[in-house]
Amino acid sequence: MADEEVATKAPESDAQEQSSSAIPGDTTVDQGSSMGAYITKPADYPHAPSKLLLFLTGGTGIHSTNNQLQADKYAAEGFLVVMPDQFNGDPAPNTSTVIPESEEHPTFIENLKLNLASAAKSFRIDMWLARHTPTTVLPRLHSVLSAVRDEFADAVANGNGIYAVGYCFGAKYVLLLGSELPDDVISGQRESDAQATAEEGMVRKGPAIKTGALAHGTMIERSDFENVQVPVGMVCVEGDGLFPDEVREEGVKVLKEKGQEVDSWVYPGVPHGFAVLGDYEDQKIVDAQKKAFDQMLGWLKSH
């Protein structure tokens, strides 16, 4: 397992970091299938029973040290964790912009350069998001789920299904994997279920997981909640522009109206991405990260 002492990056800032497991047989980045995966197991597995947990990352992907550390924490709690490469080797571009101290009062030219750099990075992010939509991501995830059901059938059976957690980008796909969707959405032939709900005779499948927990989601819409059929626990940031309060509140309302079990824990005064391990100077964020992990872990273990 990775060493928690090396969690020295702030959340969502290590997209291009490369790391690997230090203990053979315990954790691995498996590139042998059509899609790589970071796999981390409890120390006593397979001698002791485990449960299968699908870990869906933010844009930083499976080579992020912080994401690997987060997966290892779940493994230490008894889950066999599979963290798939949702992005097929194409993590999100690094979008941090730092103004040097010497440029406390930047000139017009310096401001122009910063604005151009910011626009270029926004363009790269937009292009990256266009490459990674449900059309491309869902088929990858279902391919991995098919493989793990065979390779780790004991863990799937022990948990009576597959558990899932998702952070940032991955949070949306916890909802989608917990939904009953038309077959052509699952296979990537259609982007969403928005136009299908009134169509008759359509083959629908799912859900693919038994329960899900998510943290500070991105690109989540009200419609993503409409077909959810599994219990969902959500860690959220108050006033998060990437997962607006009104979307969260409407999503909770939709699930409750359907009689679906849901809970949400809202954190004020913390940044988006806080629930992923990182080197935080603010003790409030450190404490919130630990509490959020305990809430998500408790949700999984209670289901």
Side-chain angles (χ1 to χ4, degrees), residues 120-138:
K121 289 173 181 178
S122 295
F123 176 76
R124 290 200 298 272
I125 284 290
D126 288 343
M127 293 299 292
W128 180 81
L129 289 172
R131 294 194 297 272
H132 301 292
T133 68
T135 298
T136 57
V137 175
L138 276 177

Side-chain angles (χ1 to χ4, degrees), residues 104-122:
E104 184 178 355
H105 302 288
T107 66
F108 171 79
I109 295 299
E110 290 164 345
N111 268 323
L112 180 60
K113 290 179 179 178
L114 287 172
N115 290 335
L116 289 173
S118 178
K121 289 173 181 178
S122 295

Side-chain angles (χ1 to χ4, degrees), residues 39-110:
I39 301 173
T40 179
K41 307 170 185 177
D44 53 0
Y45 178 84
H47 304 294
S50 182
K51 297 178 180 180
L52 199 291
L53 176 65
L54 184 73
F55 186 113
L56 304 180
T57 73
T60 48
I62 66 171
H63 292 289
S64 158
T65 299
N66 291 352
N67 289 338
Q68 292 187 2
L69 291 170
Q70 196 78 34
D72 291 345
K73 285 173 67 69
Y74 286 106
E77 295 290 341
F79 288 94
L80 192 164
V81 184
V82 176
M83 185 166 69
D85 181 7
Q86 303 166 96
F87 314 118
N88 198 28
D90 178 34
N94 193 321
T95 59
S96 61
T97 299
V98 178
I99 300 176
E101 293 182 6
S102 61
E103 298 180 12
E104 184 178 355
H105 302 288
T107 66
F108 171 79
I109 295 299
E110 290 164 345

Side-chain angles (χ1 to χ4, degrees), residues 236-239 266-270 284 288:
C236 309
V237 176
E238 185 179 60
V266 182
Y267 287 75
V270 294
K284 179 181 179 179

Side-chain angles (χ1 to χ4, degrees), residues 6-300:
V6 303
T8 58
K9 302 288 185 181
E12 297 301 298
S13 67
D14 55 354
Q16 307 306 327
E17 294 292 326
Q18 300 293 315
S19 63
S20 60
S21 169
I23 305 177
D26 184 41
T27 58
T28 182
V29 176
D30 178 11
Q31 301 291 349
S33 65
S34 60
M35 160 181 175
Y38 178 84
I39 301 173
T40 179
K41 307 170 185 177
D44 53 0
Y45 178 84
H47 304 294
S50 182
K51 297 178 180 180
L52 199 291
L53 176 65
L54 184 73
F55 186 113
L56 304 180
T57 73
T60 48
I62 66 171
H63 292 289
S64 158
T65 299
N66 291 352
N67 289 338
Q68 292 187 2
L69 291 170
Q70 196 78 34
D72 291 345
K73 285 173 67 69
Y74 286 106
E77 295 290 341
F79 288 94
L80 192 164
V81 184
V82 176
M83 185 166 69
D85 181 7
Q86 303 166 96
F87 314 118
N88 198 28
D90 178 34
N94 193 321
T95 59
S96 61
T97 299
V98 178
I99 300 176
E101 293 182 6
S102 61
E103 298 180 12
E104 184 178 355
H105 302 288
T107 66
F108 171 79
I109 295 299
E110 290 164 345
N111 268 323
L112 180 60
K113 290 179 179 178
L114 287 172
N115 290 335
L116 289 173
S118 178
K121 289 173 181 178
S122 295
F123 176 76
R124 290 200 298 272
I125 284 290
D126 288 343
M127 293 299 292
W128 180 81
L129 289 172
R131 294 194 297 272
H132 301 292
T133 68
T135 298
T136 57
V137 175
L138 276 177
R140 294 173 191 160
L141 295 181
H142 279 281
S143 177
V144 168
L145 288 174
S146 178
V148 299
R149 287 189 187 100
D150 291 335
E151 185 172 356
F152 303 115
D154 58 328
V156 176
N158 184 56
N160 194 30
I162 295 174
Y163 297 76
V165 293
Y167 293 81
C168 300
F169 183 99
K172 179 185 181 78
Y173 291 88
V174 169
L175 295 176
L176 294 181
L177 290 175
S179 297
E180 183 184 66
L181 296 173
D183 186 55
D184 60 348
V185 173
I186 293 172
S187 64
Q189 298 176 33
R190 181 151 51 94
E191 184 68 24
S192 72
D193 191 27
Q195 304 299 322
T197 54
E199 296 179 23
E200 298 182 0
M202 181 161 297
V203 176
R204 303 177 72 89
K205 295 182 179 179
I209 59 175
K210 65 171 294 183
T211 189
L214 58 90
H216 37 67
T218 61
M219 297 177 296
I220 292 177
E221 302 174 357
R222 181 191 185 280
S223 60
D224 294 326
F225 293 92
E226 292 177 352
N227 296 300
V228 172
Q229 295 188 356
V230 301
V232 176
M234 302 189 296
V235 166
C236 309
V237 176
E238 185 179 60
D240 187 352
L242 296 174
F243 188 15
D245 294 344
E246 56 269 23
V247 176
R248 166 177 50 82
E249 292 166 359
E250 188 66 19
V252 170
K253 179 182 177 181
V254 167
L255 293 179
K256 287 185 175 180
E257 288 177 347
K258 293 172 44 167
Q260 186 59 63
E261 184 181 2
V262 59
D263 204 349
S264 63
W265 309 285
V266 182
Y267 287 75
V270 294
H272 180 90
F274 83 95
V276 178
L277 277 168
D279 182 22
Y280 307 107
E281 295 182 0
D282 188 337
Q283 187 61 40
K284 179 181 179 179
I285 300 177
V286 174
D287 294 341
Q289 195 282 325
K290 293 178 179 178
K291 183 178 180 181
F293 174 77
D294 289 341
Q295 287 174 322
M296 294 174 74
L297 178 66
W299 180 266
L300 297 174

